[in-house]
């Protein structure tokens, strides 16, 4: 039987109005000293998931990173793969991503066909996710590597229709991503519009750097925020973000 543990947990959190925080670790970029600090801070609470992945992952550190984190903490490990080579049994779950904002068939079905036999046999919880790239003001790695055009940040109507189509196709989550290191994060007006249109959990990421921005995103309707670059650059920021999610949930907003 399929393992539905993490997704079920996310649905339950959503039902209770609780928010979630994921830290994105790119095996290519994470520095060992920074990883130690991130794991220490995360152990104190407020980090619900580690997302692991990147657009390239040119080294062979994926398995090592997963093993290392698993040995040191119990926070769930979720693969956020940039391509079908970034697979590992050492994680707990995988976002099975369809790039529904784009029109590149490889990222809508091609890579999925390649990954399917591996995933069918794997113990990973597989969470099918409609991934939507939103223009964040700079050309991101995802945009370049996927050869797709992001949804313009001022076109909330396109985002809404795309998310709706994803939900109707049976995708279990929608992820609005301005891309790693985005200059402009996904606008709250777009998050609100998409939140109002779909019922599945809503993930938001790309360019989130401060607890204030995170709180604004949660308030706009995001269920789970993904933060990578800001923490990679300064692991200390995780302390503020982790405190923000706990405070937000404590207040029961
Ligand atoms: C990228 O949403 C994630 O896919 C995280 O973005 O690295 O800008 O936080 P940042």
């Amino acid at each position: 039987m399929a393992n539905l543990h993490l997704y079920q947990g996310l649905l339950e959190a959503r039902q209770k109005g609780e928010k979630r925080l994921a830290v994105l670790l790119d095996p290519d970029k994470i520095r060992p000293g920074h990883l130690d600090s991130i794991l220490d801070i995360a152990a104190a609470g407020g980090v619900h998931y580690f997302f692991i992945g990147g657009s390239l992952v040119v080294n062979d550190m994926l398995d090592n990173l997963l093993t290392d984190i698993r040995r040191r903490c119990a926070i769930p490990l979720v693969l956020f793969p940039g391509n079908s080579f970034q697979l590992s049994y050492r994680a707990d779950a995988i976002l099975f991503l369809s790039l529904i904002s784009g029109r590149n068939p490889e990222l809508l079905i091609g890579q999925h066909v390649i990954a399917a036999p591996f995933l069918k046999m794997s113990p990973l919880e597989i969470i099918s996710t409609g991934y939507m790239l939103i223009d964040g003001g700079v050309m991101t790695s995802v945009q370049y590597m996927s050869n797709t055009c992001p949804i313009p940040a001022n076109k909330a109507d396109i985002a809404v229709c795309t998310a709706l189509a994803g939900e109707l196709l049976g995708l279990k989550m929608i992820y609005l991503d301005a891309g790693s290191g985005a200059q402009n994060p996904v606008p709250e007006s777009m998050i609100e519009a998409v939140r109002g249109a779909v019922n599945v959990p809503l993930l938001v990421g790309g360019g989130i750097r401060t607890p204030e921005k995170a709180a604004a995103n949660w308030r706009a309707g995001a269920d789970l925020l993904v933060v990578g670059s800001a923490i990679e650059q300064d692991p200390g920021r995780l302390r503020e973000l982790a405190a923000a999610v706990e405070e937000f949930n404590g207040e029961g907003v």
Side-chain angles (χ1 to χ4, degrees):
M1 198 175 97
N3 178 358
L4 297 172
H5 179 67
L6 291 190
Y7 184 64
Q8 196 55 40
L10 203 51
L11 288 180
E12 284 165 14
R14 170 156 166 64
Q15 226 162 26
K16 289 188 269 183
E18 282 180 11
K19 304 302 182 177
R20 294 289 178 254
L21 176 67
V23 174
L24 174 64
L25 299 175
D26 183 333
D28 270 338
K29 293 187 188 154
I30 188 71
R31 294 186 237 159
H34 282 187
L35 180 63
D36 291 342
S37 310
I38 290 169
L39 293 178
D40 285 347
I41 297 168
V47 175
H48 303 97
Y49 310 99
F50 282 115
F51 280 13
I52 314 288
S55 288
L56 285 173
V57 185
V58 290
N59 63 29
D60 59 358
M61 288 303 288
L62 179 62
D63 276 343
N64 290 348
L65 179 63
L66 289 164
T67 308
D68 201 16
I69 303 175
R70 170 58 47 74
R71 206 174 37 232
R72 292 155 68 179
C73 78
I75 296 171
L77 303 173
V78 180
L79 295 175
F80 173 45
N83 59 54
S84 54
F85 297 105
Q86 290 172 31
L87 300 175
S88 171
Y89 282 1
R90 297 184 194 194
D92 299 294
I94 181 168
L95 302 189
F96 197 37
L97 300 164
S98 286
L99 182 47
I100 58 175
S101 57
R103 299 296 179 267
N104 178 343
E106 271 306 301
L107 302 174
L108 286 163
I109 183 64
Q111 298 265 318
H112 309 67
V113 173
I114 293 166
F118 175 96
L119 293 176
K120 180 74 180 169
M121 289 186 303
S122 89
L124 296 168
E125 176 179 351
I126 297 160
I127 309 176
S128 59
T129 302
Y131 181 75
M132 294 169 51
L133 192 58
I134 312 299
D135 192 345
V138 285
M139 164 85 86
T140 57
S141 303
V142 182
Q143 184 181 346
Y144 181 80
M145 294 300 293
S146 67
N147 198 16
T148 66
C149 186
I151 295 176
N154 62 349
K155 301 284 184 192
D157 53 346
I158 297 179
V160 163
C161 296
T162 306
L164 264 178
E167 185 179 54
L168 291 171
L169 280 166
L171 297 171
K172 294 201 276 189
M173 308 201 292
I174 294 294
Y175 186 164
L176 303 179
D177 195 353
S180 200
Q183 212 165 52
N184 311 318
V186 178
E188 273 89 36
S189 52
M190 182 180 278
I191 299 172
E192 266 170 33
V194 171
R195 172 72 291 154
V198 299
N199 288 317
V200 292
L202 184 58
L203 283 60
V204 176
I208 300 169
R209 295 180 180 86
T210 64
E212 292 76 21
K213 187 68 189 167
N217 278 202
W218 283 315
R219 223 174 284 121
D223 296 300
L224 190 164
L225 296 185
V226 185
V227 184
S229 313
I231 295 167
E232 255 162 35
Q233 284 154 17
D234 175 8
R237 288 199 187 190
L238 178 55
R239 201 170 281 113
E240 298 165 18
L241 289 159
V245 74
E246 297 207 308
E247 187 186 339
F248 201 98
N249 289 336
E251 284 171 1
V253 182

